[in-house]
Amino acid sequence: MKNPYLPYPVRIDEVVTETEDKNLKTFKLVFMDPEAEKDFSYIPGQFAELSVAGKGEISIGIASSPTEKGFLKFTVNKVGLVTTHLHNMVEGEIMGIRGPLGNTYPWEDMEGKNVVIIGGGFAFTTLRSSIIYMLHPDNRPKFKDIIVVYGARSPGMLLYKEELAEWEQRDDLQMHITVDATDDPDWKYNVGFVPAITEQKITNAENAIAIVCGPPVMIRFTQPVLEKLGFPPERIILSLEMRMKCGIGICGRCNIGDKYVCKDGPVFSLAQLKNLPPEY
Ligand SMILES: Cc1cc2nc3c(=O)[nH]c(=O)nc-3n(C[C@H](O)[C@H](O)[C@H](O)COP(=O)(O)OP(=O)(O)OC[C@H]3O[C@@H](n4cnc5c(N)ncnc54)[C@H](O)[C@@H]3O)c2cc1C
Ligand code: FES
């Protein structure tokens, strides 16, 4: 049986600095062994443990979509020890990856529904994975309207700017990009916090499911907006970012009540969370 703590070696193929503060970088990783790539079969919403030799492991949401072949993408915010070491690594260097881990967004429940995607800041990563996945020609017919609200502090802090511009042009996706504030006279999108823009742009909760991923403050204020719009708690889906260690339900680091965020989550419906202690 494979040791679940043993990472697969991967090569850094490309590093893209996403934001003007240079604290967010997207790493494109390529498996050294094609068999490992086959074993690493994932679905949007899942995460992985990235390891930097001698420094440690970090839990990071998978930002690429399984419909993008030959590589994985992760967008990493530089906050501490391991993320700083990873930010100093360059193309061609080798690191490790363990996964895929955790559950996924509820793809079967989303079929035949309008899908509202709400993201804030760097937590947009697994939402990027989901959007690319849903827009793939094999998958797009499975979903009705796809409506995205994505916000960042300022225009320079938005992730995946080229893709956002492409999605803006599509007629099978409604994009509502927003920033908290800007003095850029050429800014042509929304200005306002994500919950306020959600309230303005999302008018109908009928046959709709909302997927929300963002900083705790954004989630706290978006949740009542969605409930007011008529989304029942079982159709509000949230992805949590508790501190983790093993990522596989063994160490007991990430529990909320009797649930392990790494194994039973990180994706939960609001209905599930309402039955758990408010520790997230
Ligand atoms: C399921 C999941 C998905 C995630 N996806 C992403 C992602 O896509 N991109 C990304 O940049 N980060 C993501 N994170 C957060 C990431 O795991 C942490 O930022 C990272 O582990 C920090 O490692 P470090 O060694 O650099 O920081 P440390 O030196 O360990 O800590 C630096 C600071 O960050 C705080 N911190 C560390 N981990 C967390 C955490 N999980 N939640 C809140 N605060 C934390 C510490 O308390 C400390 O203040 C995710 C976390 C989880 C659990
Ligand atoms: S991180 Fe070890 S049990 Fe969840």
Side-chain angles (χ1 to χ4, degrees), residues 24 45-49 55 57-63 74-85 122-123 125-126 239-244 261 266:
L24 277 147
Q46 291 192 283
F47 69 101
E49 290 290 329
K55 302 301 170 198
E57 278 191 321
I58 48 173
S59 319
I60 303 289
I62 306 173
F74 296 88
T75 302
V76 179
N77 189 23
K78 186 168 84 170
V79 288
L81 179 75
V82 181
T83 49
T84 301
H85 277 279
F122 69 86
T125 57
T126 55
S239 185
L240 303 185
E241 283 197 7
M242 296 284 286
R243 288 220 74 171
M244 292 180 185
V261 175

Side-chain angles (χ1 to χ4, degrees), residues 15-18 22-27 74-76 87-88:
V15 183
V16 173
T17 302
E18 297 278 355
K22 300 193 171 39
N23 279 339
L24 277 147
K25 286 187 179 177
T26 296
F27 294 84
F74 296 88
T75 302
V76 179
H87 266 243
N88 290 335

Side-chain angles (χ1 to χ4, degrees), residues 244-247 249-254 260 262:
M244 292 180 185
K245 199 164 172 68
C246 71
I250 291 176
C251 73
R253 176 84 172 257
C254 69
Y260 289 121
C262 65

